[in-house]
Amino acid sequence: LTSLPAEIGELKNLQVLHLGGNKLTSLPAVIGKLENLVSLDLRLNNLTSLPAEIGNLKNYVKISSARNPLTNPPLEVCEEGIKAIRNYFEELQKDSEVINEAKVLFVGQGEVGKTCLMKKLLKPNEDVNLKEVSTKGIDVKDWHFETDKKEDFRVNFWDFGGQEILHSTHQFFLTKRSLYILVWDSRMDNQIFAFDYWLNVIKLLSDNSPVIIVLSKSELNRNISVAETELMERFKNIVTFCKVSAITGDGITELKALIKQEVQKLTLVGTKVPKSFINIRKKLEALTENGENYISYKEYLKICNSFALKKEKADFIRDYYHDLGIFLNFKDNEILSDYFFLQPEWATNAVYCLLENHTIQDNNGRFLCSELPKYFSGKYEDKLYPVFLELMRKFELCFPIDNGKGYIIPELLPQDKPKNLRWTYKNNLKVVLKYKFLPNGIITRLTSRNYKDIGKHDYWRYGVAFQIEDAVVMVREIRLEREIKIYISGKQKNEMLFYVLNEIAEINRTLQNPSLDVFVTCTCDECRESEEPYLFDYDYLERAKAKNKQFVECQNSLEDISLPALLSGMATSKSKLDKFLDNRAVYYAKDIAVEFGGTVLSKMLLGMGGVPV
């Protein structure tokens, strides 16, 4: 569908409207007359705006708007629901201001020259210090230029430390509708894995935001070249390649011109936002200029009240800027909710103090709370230590040990499986998830989420084993093969499988649902005894089932395997699952499917079902 007829407004009793996966560019204003609507699915269309009349919908309407180039209202507002949309249009009618601002992120491995390049762009006439210390954490700088329309344009440069330990935090900062500068050291022609990682993570987490690839330090290797055509065919979001030198200044003028050109093309640029949103932001940024890094939530409300904005409207603005990553306030967290972070990079760098500490790294990620003053080196107030720890727990970067006296950062654990963790592979239920691109941090976050069920030494950087009721699971990540392998033994295998898959699906959802394929274990006698049984493609089994096939052939033993029996290993009854989850103290939505198999499993793995509430 490319449009909807006006007559749709006559469907007064319509409750659910599913328009996902079409080619809609606009919605008719009469959509606001659907007085009984409770669910509106607009995903995967070409919508750039919604009609203001949509705010007339009176029910609590669930609106799904992902994968649309929305700018009016912005996608961040739409994702907050119908009340936020209504507030946005109400404030927009009072007064508005055009956005002339963009975010540019410098990414790449450590010590490739990102910091020197950014400083040269900001101050082209100053010499670059060759002994410049690598960025620890995040550094943010502003750059202003005048557009052809004689308007001031603001660019926010974000310089990211490239150390591998920081990669698992990228999910929180690699934002959509931004411009990326991927910096590559032209002296090193063996960085294909790093290249592949950064291009894939930008494509995934930023929803294909544009990328300029910069070959830095060109004065040291002028003959370097990369397979530009091949890369641009594979990654359509690559704008171009540039050779620059922060030492000689070669290519800097051309790169600046290119950045100016590309940032003005970003979708949010040139759109209007309510004046009240801008006023609040200017007031908050004025506080940062006076050295404030955070205020209390109550102080934030007072500022909004000074602009005649009551709590509900203040919260809408708060949520908008939180989703954009400009200010942070975690409203649903008991410890963090009272802290309104004016500079997210300041709070993040506090977390990086622990992630990058050599003593903690040498201790395999373990540290005591009593040691925090030493690690923070007097840079932060003592009362903020629990706040930073809670921030790490919120992002699933650590978990407590010894009744909260200490913590473990799983990204710093040893890479090899503990020798005292012995696993019997016989009669396991085994599922393999094969990712097209495997983001960092899935296993370590799974460990942090389930630390209460894990034995003292049953975890390492790329794996974890834990037990719930009568089921034991081991989950391993094979990075080179882009696989996550799940082994389950015990009496409640199917229930444990659903639980683990749902946990991974929840993590995948925060990573923009990376594409993956599911493979299940063959049940023949030979495969039951094997550590590497034959794996059936789950989609293939579903297609065979649709064709009424009763058997499929194992490629190891060449035996015919019962298809219904094979699929039954991927399903469980609602009553059994409820009991399993009740014992785990995890509760799921009431409308969850009765049988967890078939397409329900596939949707769950994409983060579209089985979501804890």
Side-chain angles (χ1 to χ4, degrees):
L1 300 175
T2 57
S3 63
L4 297 179
E7 289 82 0
I8 198 169
E10 298 173 16
L11 303 177
K12 305 295 184 184
N13 293 322
L14 189 64
Q15 293 180 316
V16 177
L17 180 55
H18 192 318
L19 298 169
N22 281 292
K23 298 180 180 180
L24 297 172
T25 57
S26 64
L27 296 180
V30 293
I31 204 85
K33 294 183 178 181
L34 302 180
E35 56 193 47
N36 282 302
L37 198 67
V38 294
S39 179
L40 177 60
D41 188 348
L42 302 172
R43 290 174 296 182
L44 286 166
N45 277 286
N46 299 319
L47 296 167
T48 58
S49 64
L50 299 179
E53 290 79 3
I54 201 169
N56 296 334
L57 298 172
K58 300 303 180 185
N59 288 325
Y60 172 78
V61 184
K62 179 184 177 183
I63 296 182
S64 304
S65 54
R67 306 299 294 275
N68 280 284
L70 279 165
T71 57
N72 186 33
L75 192 60
E76 289 78 13
V77 172
C78 294
E79 289 177 349
E80 291 296 328
I82 194 67
K83 284 187 176 182
I85 294 172
R86 187 183 303 128
N87 169 77
Y88 174 87
F89 282 120
E90 287 174 358
E91 293 296 312
L92 197 64
Q93 288 173 356
K94 296 176 184 177
D95 199 0
S96 63
E97 189 169 313
V98 173
I99 293 179
N100 278 315
E101 180 181 3
K103 187 175 179 180
V104 176
L105 299 96
F106 291 76
V107 297
Q109 297 301 96
E111 300 183 353
V112 295
K114 298 186 296 295
T115 302
C116 290
L117 177 62
M118 186 178 81
K119 290 187 174 181
K120 194 68 174 178
L121 287 167
L122 291 169
K123 298 179 179 180
N125 296 323
E126 291 188 9
D127 292 335
V128 169
N129 180 8
L130 287 173
K131 296 182 180 179
E132 186 76 51
V133 177
S134 254
T135 299
K136 301 293 183 183
I138 300 172
D139 188 22
V140 181
K141 302 290 184 184
D142 289 350
W143 175 45
H144 293 260
F145 66 86
E146 196 174 77
T147 68
D148 294 338
K149 298 178 182 178
K150 305 299 180 184
E151 296 171 326
D152 179 65
F153 198 102
R154 171 179 170 177
V155 176
N156 303 305
F157 281 159
W158 285 58
D159 176 20
F160 283 81
Q163 295 83 356
E164 187 175 350
I165 179 60
L166 308 183
H167 288 187
S168 61
T169 66
H170 292 151
Q171 59 189 295
F172 312 115
F173 303 104
L174 301 192
T175 49
K176 302 175 184 178
R177 292 168 296 189
S178 303
L179 175 65
Y180 287 79
I181 310 294
L182 172 53
V183 184
W184 177 42
D185 188 341
S186 65
R187 297 173 300 170
M188 304 178 186
D189 56 3
N190 60 345
Q191 293 188 6
I192 188 63
F193 290 112
F195 230 71
D196 181 72
Y197 167 79
W198 283 108
L199 287 173
N200 273 297
V201 81
I202 292 169
K203 178 181 178 181
L204 178 66
L205 298 183
S206 76
D207 196 20
N208 273 316
S209 287
V211 183
I212 297 173
I213 297 180
V214 172
L215 282 66
S216 71
K217 306 179 184 178
S218 62
E219 79 283 355
L220 300 174
N221 190 350
R222 297 183 180 276
N223 298 318
I224 194 67
S225 63
V226 293
E228 296 183 8
T229 303
E230 181 181 336
L231 284 169
M232 292 181 80
E233 285 178 357
R234 182 179 170 193
F235 299 96
K236 305 295 184 185
N237 55 330
I238 295 177
V239 175
T240 190
F241 293 76
C242 300
K243 289 184 180 181
V244 302
S245 170
I247 304 300
T248 65
D250 290 349
I252 293 295
T253 301
E254 293 79 5
L255 179 58
K256 284 183 76 168
L258 187 58
I259 293 173
K260 288 180 181 180
Q261 172 186 306
E262 291 301 320
V263 292
Q264 293 181 72
K265 294 179 184 178
L266 296 172
T267 53
L268 271 182
V269 173
T271 60
K272 293 181 178 180
V273 295
K275 186 76 172 180
S276 58
F277 284 42
I278 303 297
N279 289 337
I280 296 299
R281 179 177 178 181
K282 287 179 178 177
K283 185 71 174 179
L284 294 172
E285 287 183 333
L287 295 175
T288 66
E289 293 171 3
N290 292 328
E292 297 284 349
N293 293 306
Y294 69 95
I295 56 175
S296 70
Y297 173 65
K298 289 181 180 178
E299 289 177 276
Y300 166 72
L301 290 181
K302 285 181 182 178
I303 291 171
C304 292
N305 289 338
S306 69
F307 289 96
L309 293 171
K310 294 184 178 179
K311 183 179 183 301
E312 185 178 38
K313 291 187 181 294
D315 284 347
F316 289 136
I317 296 174
R318 181 266 320 266
D319 293 342
Y320 172 68
Y321 283 128
H322 177 92
D323 290 341
L324 282 176
I326 294 174
F327 308 115
L328 295 181
N329 176 249
F330 300 92
K331 58 185 178 182
D332 297 325
N333 185 286
E334 187 176 346
I335 295 175
L336 300 174
S337 59
D338 191 46
Y339 289 84
F340 197 98
F341 296 107
L342 301 172
Q343 299 192 80
E345 67 274 16
W346 170 81
T348 305
N349 285 332
V351 170
Y352 287 168
C353 281
L354 302 181
L355 292 178
E356 297 186 301
N357 184 275
H358 292 304
T359 302
I360 297 176
Q361 290 176 354
D362 292 341
N363 202 28
N364 294 325
R366 290 168 169 79
F367 64 92
L368 298 176
C369 294
S370 59
E371 299 170 328
L372 290 176
K374 176 178 63 176
Y375 298 139
F376 285 124
S377 306
K379 295 178 182 178
Y380 304 94
E381 305 165 76
D382 292 358
K383 70 175 184 178
L384 292 175
Y385 296 167
V387 176
F388 295 144
L389 288 175
E390 187 64 20
L391 195 60
M392 292 180 71
R393 292 190 66 179
K394 170 78 176 174
F395 289 159
E396 298 169 350
L397 296 174
C398 71
F399 60 88
I401 55 173
D402 299 330
N403 297 316
K405 294 179 181 178
Y407 282 82
I408 288 180
I409 300 171
E411 280 287 340
L412 297 176
L413 287 169
Q415 297 187 33
D416 296 324
K417 182 166 72 76
K419 293 181 179 179
N420 61 346
L421 174 58
R422 291 178 171 80
W423 189 268
T424 302
Y425 294 91
K426 184 178 179 180
N427 291 325
N428 279 199
L429 172 58
K430 178 180 176 182
V431 173
V432 177
L433 310 181
K434 292 180 179 284
Y435 287 73
K436 299 290 189 296
F437 166 67
L438 181 58
N440 283 330
I442 293 179
I443 294 297
T444 53
R445 290 178 63 188
L446 182 68
T447 302
S448 295
R449 292 167 72 100
N450 293 277
Y451 71 92
K452 291 183 179 179
D453 299 307
I454 303 171
K456 282 192 174 182
H457 305 290
D458 295 344
Y459 45 75
W460 63 106
R461 190 182 306 180
Y462 299 119
V464 61
F466 58 91
Q467 179 170 352
I468 302 176
E469 293 299 297
D470 293 323
V472 185
V473 63
M474 180 172 69
V475 187
R476 301 185 67 177
E477 178 183 296
I478 313 297
R479 286 215 65 80
L480 287 178
E481 297 178 23
R482 296 181 175 180
E483 291 181 353
I484 289 179
K485 295 185 176 182
I486 305 169
Y487 305 85
I488 305 175
S489 64
K491 296 180 180 178
Q492 295 175 295
K493 295 177 186 176
N494 296 16
E495 289 84 355
M496 175 64 97
L497 175 63
F498 181 86
Y499 174 78
V500 171
L501 289 177
N502 186 76
E503 288 282 275
I504 294 174
E506 275 288 280
I507 296 170
N508 283 348
R509 182 181 57 78
T510 67
L511 298 169
Q512 307 303 318
N513 295 321
S515 178
L516 58 86
D517 294 313
V518 185
F519 292 81
V520 299
T521 315
C522 175
T523 56
C524 73
D525 291 339
E526 181 178 325
C527 289
R528 281 198 186 101
E529 300 287 339
S530 173
E531 287 189 25
E532 295 298 330
Y534 181 71
L535 300 172
F536 288 101
D537 185 328
Y538 190 76
D539 285 340
Y540 162 74
L541 298 180
E542 283 294 308
R543 293 198 307 273
K545 178 183 176 182
K547 295 286 187 180
N548 295 317
K549 300 285 187 182
Q550 294 300 307
F551 297 94
V552 288
E553 185 179 68
C554 170
Q555 297 301 300
N556 284 354
S557 66
L558 301 182
E559 291 182 22
D560 286 336
I561 310 300
S562 166
L563 180 58
L566 199 58
L567 288 173
S568 70
M570 300 290 285
T572 185
S573 68
K574 187 176 188 304
S575 59
K576 287 183 178 180
L577 185 70
D578 281 346
K579 182 179 179 182
F580 184 79
L581 295 176
D582 283 346
N583 290 331
R584 183 68 179 88
V586 178
Y587 299 92
Y588 287 75
K590 293 179 181 178
D591 59 351
I592 205 164
V594 173
E595 293 294 330
F596 302 98
T599 56
V600 174
L601 176 65
S602 301
K603 288 181 180 179
M604 179 186 64
L605 286 166
L606 292 174
M608 296 169 63
V611 180
V613 294

